[in-house]
């Protein structure tokens, strides 16, 4: 495993604690990203060889997946920023996503539903206004 990346078990342990710390605060953000890793090819010395524009689309073997998590702190509060990452090999993807779903389900229980009541009232008022306007221009 390259330096800086956690093992899968450590990643899930720390991700759970990240969700737990978010649950104990009044607000916050957790950012999760997934990205497939392109195979690292040595740079060719001859510039005349043409390479395909997307070399990972013509991969001969399945590609690994890079998964990242962060608590979303900005540059201003960098001392409190938590960054996690792990690399998942293709043969372990199914087990990884099973565990990932469990951790996500457990971590999202403390999320609050967005308050959209103001938007709904504005939409209803707008619809009422349009219905009244269309009926006013008619002649008997």
């Amino acid at each position: 495993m390259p330096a800086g990346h956690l093992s899968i078990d450590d990643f899930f342990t720390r991700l759970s604690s990240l969700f737990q710390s978010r649950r104990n605060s009044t607000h916050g953000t957790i950012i999760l990203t997934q990205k497939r890793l392109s195979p690292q090819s040595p740079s060719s010395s001859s510039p005349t060889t043409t390479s395909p524009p997307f070399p990972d689309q013509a991969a001969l073997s399945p590609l690994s997946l890079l998964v990242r998590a962060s608590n979303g702190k900005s540059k201003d509060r960098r001392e409190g920023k938590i960054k996690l990452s792990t690399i998942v090999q293709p043969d372990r993807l199914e087990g990884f996503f099973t565990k990932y779903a469990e951790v996500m389900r457990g971590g999202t229980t403390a999320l609050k539903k967005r308050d959209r009541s103001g938007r709904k009232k504005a939409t209803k008022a707008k619809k009422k206004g349009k219905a009244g306007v269309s009926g006013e221009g008619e002649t008997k």
Side-chain angles (χ1 to χ4, degrees):
M1 178 121 346
H5 298 294
L6 302 170
S7 70
I8 293 174
D9 294 331
D10 289 342
F11 177 79
F12 284 129
T13 302
R14 293 174 111 189
L15 183 61
S16 296
S17 66
L18 186 63
F19 277 121
Q20 185 64 35
S21 67
R22 166 56 193 98
R23 187 176 296 137
N24 296 334
S25 66
T26 57
H27 66 282
T29 302
I30 295 177
I31 300 169
L32 299 163
T33 59
Q34 300 174 21
K35 174 183 168 181
R36 64 181 177 181
L37 288 177
S38 298
Q40 298 294 332
S41 61
S43 60
S44 62
S45 59
S46 65
T48 58
T49 59
T50 59
S51 61
F54 301 106
D56 56 342
Q57 289 181 344
L60 300 175
S61 62
L63 300 172
S64 300
L65 184 71
L66 173 67
V67 182
R68 294 180 180 147
S70 169
N71 63 348
K73 299 283 184 184
S74 66
K75 290 182 180 179
D76 301 334
R77 299 180 307 226
R78 191 172 296 264
E79 67 277 351
K81 187 163 187 155
I82 298 171
K83 293 164 69 173
L84 311 172
S85 67
T86 189
I87 295 178
V88 185
Q89 298 303 323
D91 57 337
R92 299 187 69 192
L93 281 174
E94 188 173 336
F96 174 82
F97 280 118
T98 302
K99 179 74 173 164
Y100 188 68
E102 291 173 15
V103 171
M104 293 296 294
R105 216 173 288 127
T108 57
T109 56
L111 294 178
K112 294 183 228 174
K113 193 169 183 177
R114 289 179 63 184
D115 181 22
R116 297 179 182 232
S117 60
R119 184 188 292 181
K120 287 181 181 179
K121 288 178 185 177
T123 305
K124 284 182 181 179
K126 191 183 246 185
K127 285 182 180 179
K128 259 187 177 178
K130 285 184 179 180
V133 171
S134 64
E136 293 174 359
E138 295 178 15
T139 57
K140 295 183 181 180

